[in-house]
């Protein structure tokens, strides 16, 4: 019996730990889908309901490209909003297009069915071993934590690097090395070595640089193609960027942290609003009270939780007199239009600083 070929959607650099995990726990071909492109969006938009949120279209387009490259097992992880219900509809759309495959949803409607996932993995690989899978699951979670910690440091300094692309190149070397990690010790040594080198990269950072907090819907925040490399655009203006949402936060911190945000911003929000909406309201208050020059809120079109949070975020920013820019992304968003709005936003905070 030929090996199955497994593929999964992209989200930033997280395809690296996902591929690492699957290669070590299951006897199958692991296919990293082609990077998201204009063709991906075209395919996803063509076969998606018109008013579905943009991540649905991106992931559906990625699945179609993977299936065309002979993948026969698709893996998806849902979220805390409509994202958690994508699998059923995407599965039906792909079957209607004539594709034959197995669809494994790791998180559906905010819950993980361990037994179901175990049975699906056993079908793919009869020798699938739970203890081995748990070991590499913990190792991969540590890899994600290291990646996110380094990314946080880079966001704070990349706008001030002396030599262009120094941070990107150094980070890529680290990610390439992570693929070769044999155990926790080797991974930790790689992390320490590369992070030490990254912190040695020369920067020319002023004492009172501009600081902007970027908040919003998780997929649009974490997938650079979905936000047209917004963070890199801000870096070009010499801005320190603060972003809260990453994979480690979503997997290991969110349940605990959202309760803190609700208490912290209790005068503005009392209940969870789905996805990261309540988190972003609490983050807005924090950024406003910790001397950030501005806040950028980004989301995919038709993202209901973030639409509900936007008036509250606007109210908080008005109260503390902190500028806020709302950006919404879909398949037809113009990159030039986004860059123009970012340039105007930078000009505004620069003028405010001079006054």
């Amino acid at each position: 019996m030929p090996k199955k070929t497994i593929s999964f959607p992209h989200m930033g650099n997280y395809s690296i730990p996902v591929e690492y995990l699957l290669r070590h726990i299951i006897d199958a071909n692991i296919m990293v889908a082609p990077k998201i492109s204009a063709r991906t969006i075209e395919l996803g938009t063509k076969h998606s309901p018109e008013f579905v949120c943009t991540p649905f279209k991106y992931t559906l387009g990625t699945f179609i490209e993977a299936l065309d490259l002979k993948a026969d097992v698709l893996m998806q992880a849902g979220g805390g909003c409509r994202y958690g219900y994508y699998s059923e509809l995407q599965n039906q759309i792909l079957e209607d297009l004539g594709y034959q495959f197995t669809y494994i949803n790791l998180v559906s409607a905010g819950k993980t069915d361990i037994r179901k996932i175990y049975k699906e993995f056993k079908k793919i690989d009869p020798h699938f071993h739970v203890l081995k899978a748990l070991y590499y699951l913990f190792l991969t979670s540590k890899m994600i934590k290291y990646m996110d910690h380094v990314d946080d440091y880079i966001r704070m300094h990349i706008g001030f690097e002396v030599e262009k692309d120094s941070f990107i190149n150094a980070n890529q070397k680290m990610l390439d090395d992570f693929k070769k990690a044999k155990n926790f010790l080797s991974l930790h040594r790689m992390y320490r070595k590369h992070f030490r080198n990254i912190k040695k990269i020369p920067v020319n950072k002023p004492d009172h640089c501009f600081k902007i907090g970027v908040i919003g819907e998780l997929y649009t925040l974490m997938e650079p193609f979905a936000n047209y490399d917004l963070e890199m655009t801000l870096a070009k203006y010499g801005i320190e960027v603060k972003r809260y949402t990453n994979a480690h936060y979503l997997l290991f911190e969110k349940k605990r942290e959202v309760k803190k945000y609700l208490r912290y911003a209790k005068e503005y929000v009392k209940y969870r609003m789905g996805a990261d909406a309540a988190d972003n309201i609490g983050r807005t208050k924090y950024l406003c009270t910790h001397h950030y020059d501005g806040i950028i809120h980004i989301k995919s079109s038709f993202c209901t939780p973030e639409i509900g949070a936007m008036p509250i975020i606007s109210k908080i920013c008005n109260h503390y007199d902190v500028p806020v820019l709302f950006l919404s992304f879909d398949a037809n968003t113009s990159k030039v239009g986004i860059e123009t709005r970012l340039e105007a936003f930078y000009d505004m905070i620069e003028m405010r600083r001079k006054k």
Side-chain angles (χ1 to χ4, degrees), residues 133-330:
L134 286 174
Y135 175 84
Y136 280 103
L137 183 63
F138 286 122
L139 181 57
T140 305
S141 68
K142 183 65 73 172
M143 183 184 297
I144 290 172
K145 181 178 181 178
Y146 290 154
M147 288 172 57
D148 288 339
H149 186 236
V150 171
D151 281 346
D152 287 341
Y153 178 86
I154 290 175
R155 281 188 202 96
M156 293 177 65
H157 298 89
I158 192 170
F160 313 96
E161 61 185 2
V162 175
E163 185 177 343
K164 186 180 178 184
D165 295 335
S166 299
F167 282 106
I168 292 176
N169 294 334
N171 191 49
Q172 188 58 53
K173 288 179 181 177
M174 182 187 76
L175 296 175
D176 290 340
D177 258 6
F178 277 3
K179 298 176 186 178
K180 307 168 190 173
K182 295 179 180 179
N183 49 45
F184 283 92
L185 181 59
S186 69
L187 177 67
H188 182 66
R189 285 175 174 170
M190 290 173 183
Y191 161 70
R192 288 187 63 186
K193 180 187 77 172
H194 287 287
F195 194 29
R196 196 182 304 119
N197 292 336
I198 287 171
K199 289 193 287 188
K200 290 179 181 177
I201 293 175
V203 294
N204 184 17
K205 186 175 181 179
D207 292 334
H208 301 288
C209 62
F210 289 110
K211 298 194 297 182
I212 286 181
V214 181
I215 60 175
E217 179 262 320
L218 68 93
Y219 185 91
T220 310
L221 280 171
M222 296 164 63
E223 172 49 55
F225 195 93
N227 60 46
Y228 299 135
D229 286 309
L230 179 139
E231 291 179 16
M232 291 302 298
T233 302
L234 293 175
K236 292 176 183 177
Y237 290 111
I239 292 173
E240 177 185 311
V241 177
K242 172 68 175 176
R243 193 190 87 193
Y244 293 89
T245 305
N246 53 41
H248 188 266
Y249 171 80
L250 295 171
L251 293 171
F252 305 109
E253 299 176 1
K254 181 175 171 59
K255 285 187 178 180
R256 179 183 70 253
E257 291 297 315
V258 69
K259 294 178 182 178
K260 293 182 181 179
Y261 285 127
L262 287 171
R263 290 195 299 269
Y264 179 68
K266 60 184 178 181
E267 67 270 41
Y268 299 106
V269 59
K270 295 183 179 180
Y271 310 101
R272 298 187 182 190
M273 301 171 64
D276 291 337
D279 311 45
N280 288 323
I281 291 169
R283 292 163 180 169
T284 300
K285 181 181 175 182
Y286 179 89
L287 293 167
C288 286
T289 56
H290 284 75
H291 311 295
Y292 276 75
D293 295 284
I295 297 172
I296 298 177
H297 176 276
I298 66 177
K299 67 174 184 64
S300 66
S301 296
F302 312 114
C303 178
T304 308
E306 295 303 330
I307 291 173
M310 285 167 64
I312 308 173
I313 291 171
S314 183
K315 180 179 180 180
I316 298 171
C317 290
N318 285 336
H319 177 78
Y320 289 100
D321 191 28
V322 175
V324 60
L325 175 65
F326 294 104
L327 297 175
S328 186
F329 296 82
D330 61 25

Side-chain angles (χ1 to χ4, degrees), residues 44-60 82-83 85-86 89-90 93 300-304 329-331:
T45 303
K46 179 180 179 182
H47 299 291
S48 297
E50 183 178 358
F51 295 109
V52 74
C53 44
T54 312
F56 184 100
K57 301 172 183 177
Y58 278 56
T59 53
L60 181 65
R82 287 183 292 179
Y83 196 82
Y85 301 91
Y86 280 4
L89 182 54
Q90 288 183 334
I93 290 172
S300 66
S301 296
F302 312 114
C303 178
T304 308
F329 296 82
D330 61 25

Side-chain angles (χ1 to χ4, degrees), residues 93-125:
I93 290 172
L94 294 171
E95 286 182 351
D96 290 345
L97 291 173
Y99 293 107
Q100 294 183 340
F101 60 97
T102 300
Y103 200 118
I104 301 175
N105 195 12
L106 302 178
V107 183
S108 182
K111 297 180 180 179
T112 300
D113 189 336
I114 301 296
R115 289 184 179 181
K116 183 179 177 182
I117 295 171
Y118 173 76
K119 289 177 181 178
E120 293 289 353
F121 278 21
K122 269 290 189 181
K123 290 178 185 177
I124 298 170
D125 177 13

